[in-house]
Amino acid sequence: MDAKQSWEQVKPQAGAPLDREAFVRFAEELAAAGEPALANYARCEAKARQAALHRLLAGGLHAVGSLPQFELCLLAALAQAAAGRQVFVFSPLPVAPQVVRQAHHLLGEVLGLNVQAAGPICGRPTSRLKQALKADVLLTDTIQLFEVAREKADFLDRPAAALFCEADLCLFDGRLGMCDRGKARALAAVYRSSGQTPPWRDDPEVLDLRDVLGQFARVDGVLGYTSAHVARELRRVYRPVFGAGVCCRGAGDFRAFAFRTFAEKMSALCRDILKAPGDCLVFVGDEELRQNLYRQLRQRDQEATLLAAPQDLRNFLDMAGERKRVGIFRGLPTTFTLPVEKRPAMQVFLAEHLLMPHQHGKLRVFCERDLEVVGPPTLYLSIEDGMFSIYADRAGIGRFFRLMEFTEKYDKWRQIRRVMARTAIRRLHSLRRAYLNEDYPVCTLVGAGGDSAPAGEAARKKTGKRLEGLCFCGSGKPFRECHGKAKV
């Protein structure tokens, strides 16, 4: 019996529920047959992948650690399509072109579904979601969804299901879509939902993803690791959307060291990179910091490589050499790629605290899946960093650093610096919880419209008028010159 015949057999009769046990067996048959689109799924431990698929088929939002999220959502999409629903699969991180092609082959050529991909996330920068709304399965991102919803509120013409990969990046980081002329120009998060009526409720240019998802007959998703705070927010905000609830807990963060000045931090980071016995991978969020680190390493006679795109990172991991290598990658790595044949040994560093604490969990997924990590991944921060400078004169922070500098010569494990780092991170979190509610959304992506953005200075001013002002992080810089700087 071929895959198409098996697929026809697992489809439920009209009005009958899906037989989950039979569908999981069907997924195992596909994996055992060597279906390329399920290569990552097939490499996982059978009991763990089957349990994760069972939970996703039952509904809700689930944490799956380093299990393959894109493949789990593809299988769940097949289950929803079998029930007669149109299916939208959303990803906040780039999906490798080969993975998209393999998904098209399995769902389209093998099983006979109409599959379309839309948006640069899925390698289709010129394809728009509104042009593919007749497809059975759509691979896209929430920016495309916001644009469709802004143009036509009731854009669905049949029962549909939504499936989210790295759901916290979509639902929390990208809860708000800020539009101009029907195009999504920015995404924003509400750090802490107060439950009050937001000031943008009646603004047609600001869309709330929670309202958009109300059109879907079913919404499910998976994520790797997140924070306890974000898990609570997802339960509070999306309770009416996720019929089966949000079943995920927070995860631990990286080991962290705190320094008084930016110069001290960079000196310690470079020193630890040079002392590391093998290859190193450094993650940064800011382009200026990435260039700064690159120059400082070169000044110390350490060759470094700037990694700008997911394929650059993959090539770096695949190219082992006799000489020590250091790669510097900006942003979050994606795990929606082909299987890694051999995981390279790497020492992992995070040169700054990322915009949101739970984003560090995405680095953890990447490390577990694609690397053999040597030693604990480590975060470096200073009180002069943009995210933390607001604390420079608060609550005697300077006094604690003077005490630390006096005692550190007796503390070779840098335990006090770890305590200081945790203190700074907790205070950042507390300040955000106190002030960043619906009245002060946190912009997480600016310039989302890409090539479709209107040209001209006047258009740019109109697009960004609600994004003006000082950056929320407390750096004192305008938002557009700090965390609102467009990613390139």
Side-chain angles (χ1 to χ4, degrees):
M1 184 182 300
D2 62 17
K4 182 66 178 294
Q5 292 172 324
S6 298
W7 159 247
E8 294 296 334
Q9 285 193 349
V10 299
K11 287 183 179 180
Q13 298 296 322
L18 177 74
D19 186 338
R20 296 177 198 156
E21 291 290 346
F23 187 85
V24 172
R25 289 196 298 271
F26 168 65
E28 290 297 308
E29 290 174 7
L30 290 176
E35 175 56 49
L38 300 180
N40 284 309
Y41 183 84
R43 290 163 67 99
C44 298
E45 194 271 324
K47 185 176 180 180
R49 72 194 184 205
Q50 292 172 23
L53 182 56
H54 265 293
R55 291 193 297 269
L56 185 55
L57 294 177
L61 175 59
H62 302 274
V64 297
S66 57
L67 292 176
Q69 298 181 40
F70 188 76
E71 285 81 352
L72 285 168
C73 284
L74 277 186
L75 290 170
L78 281 176
Q80 294 299 326
R85 297 189 182 102
Q86 185 182 32
V87 190
F88 293 68
V89 179
F90 297 100
S91 171
L93 298 173
V95 183
Q98 305 96 313
V99 173
V100 174
R101 287 195 294 269
Q102 291 172 356
H104 270 271
H105 178 266
L106 172 61
L107 276 63
E109 297 179 28
V110 175
L111 301 180
L113 295 170
N114 181 2
V115 185
Q116 297 289 331
I121 286 291
C122 295
R124 302 289 192 275
T126 60
S127 178
R128 315 309 294 174
L129 179 59
K130 65 181 180 181
Q131 300 166 344
L133 287 176
K134 300 300 181 182
D136 300 317
V137 179
L138 301 101
L139 311 177
T140 187
D141 56 74
T142 55
I143 297 170
Q144 300 285 319
L145 179 64
F146 280 126
E147 291 186 359
V148 168
R150 175 64 182 86
E151 185 172 310
K152 184 181 178 183
D154 54 344
F155 60 92
L156 295 176
D157 58 5
R158 53 175 160 155
L163 289 159
F164 288 93
C165 303
E166 289 294 7
D168 52 345
L169 295 185
C170 295
L171 303 173
F172 182 83
D173 295 26
R175 176 182 167 184
L176 301 182
M178 298 182 177
C179 303
D180 178 64
R181 301 182 184 182
K183 302 296 183 183
R185 305 303 187 195
L187 299 179
V190 177
Y191 197 82
R192 179 186 62 84
S193 300
S194 65
Q196 300 176 355
T197 301
W200 32 263
R201 167 57 65 186
D202 298 322
D203 187 344
E205 297 295 334
V206 180
L207 301 180
D208 190 331
L209 187 57
R210 177 179 58 180
D211 298 333
V212 176
L213 293 179
Q215 294 195 53
F216 288 84
R218 176 152 175 178
V219 180
D220 302 316
V222 289
L223 54 85
Y225 301 104
T226 192
S227 68
H229 167 74
V230 170
R232 288 193 298 269
E233 284 294 308
L234 292 175
R235 292 188 187 100
R236 180 182 297 122
V237 174
Y238 292 97
R239 183 177 289 112
V241 175
F242 287 103
V246 177
C247 306
C248 57
R249 295 180 294 176
D253 205 343
F254 284 14
R255 179 179 70 168
F257 294 131
F259 300 86
R260 184 202 293 269
T261 68
F262 179 81
E264 289 176 346
K265 180 187 84 167
M266 294 299 291
S267 177
L269 174 59
C270 290
R271 182 182 65 244
D272 290 349
I273 291 173
L274 294 174
K275 288 171 56 180
D279 293 342
C280 300
L281 189 55
V282 189
F283 294 97
V284 301
D286 179 72
E287 180 61 23
E288 184 177 350
L289 174 59
R290 186 170 77 136
Q291 296 291 340
N292 189 332
L293 178 59
Y294 176 79
R295 288 192 299 269
Q296 292 204 31
L297 289 173
R298 294 297 295 264
Q299 290 170 2
R300 291 167 169 82
D301 295 325
Q302 172 59 59
E303 185 175 326
T305 304
L306 294 175
L307 309 173
Q311 190 57 49
D312 296 338
L313 178 58
R314 187 61 178 267
N315 292 339
F316 178 81
L317 298 182
D318 290 341
M319 295 172 60
E322 296 182 359
R323 186 175 181 181
K324 178 178 178 177
R325 300 175 303 143
V326 176
I328 309 174
F329 185 81
R330 183 189 176 196
L332 291 175
T334 180
T335 55
F336 308 145
T337 61
L338 296 176
V340 175
E341 296 302 325
K342 181 180 180 182
R343 301 195 301 173
M346 289 278 172
Q347 184 100 22
V348 176
F349 301 88
L350 181 53
E352 62 181 330
H353 193 287
L354 298 179
L355 183 60
M356 299 287 190
H358 64 279
Q359 293 175 352
H360 298 172
K362 315 311 164 188
L363 297 179
R364 180 178 169 186
V365 171
F366 172 77
C367 291
E368 289 184 0
R369 176 187 182 269
D370 289 355
L371 304 178
E372 288 288 349
V373 178
V374 180
T378 306
L379 163 64
Y380 292 72
L381 60 92
S382 81
I383 305 304
E384 289 183 348
D385 290 352
M387 297 287 284
F388 295 96
S389 59
I390 194 170
Y391 300 115
D393 298 319
R394 294 169 63 93
I397 291 287
R399 182 176 69 252
F400 287 127
F401 270 96
R402 288 193 293 273
L403 174 63
M404 180 181 66
E405 289 159 0
F406 175 76
T407 59
E408 190 175 27
K409 58 185 176 181
Y410 307 107
D411 181 21
K412 65 179 182 178
W413 300 109
R414 297 187 283 186
Q415 296 281 7
I416 299 176
R417 289 199 181 275
R418 298 186 197 183
V419 173
M420 287 300 300
R422 294 302 169 197
T423 300
I425 292 171
R426 283 197 301 270
R427 293 188 180 182
L428 171 69
H429 177 65
S430 297
L431 184 68
R432 286 176 157 183
R433 280 187 52 81
Y435 296 107
L436 298 180
N437 54 25
E438 288 89 345
D439 290 330
Y440 302 99
V442 180
C443 284
T444 55
L445 178 64
V446 177
D451 294 338
S452 63
E457 185 64 25
R460 285 194 292 272
K461 288 182 179 179
K462 180 178 179 181
T463 298
K465 67 180 182 180
R466 63 172 56 83
L467 307 178
E468 299 297 340
L470 297 179
C471 187
F472 66 89
C473 73
S475 65
K477 299 179 182 178
F479 176 79
R480 288 189 174 280
E481 297 176 15
C482 192
H483 285 94
K485 187 181 296 183
K487 299 290 188 292
V488 294

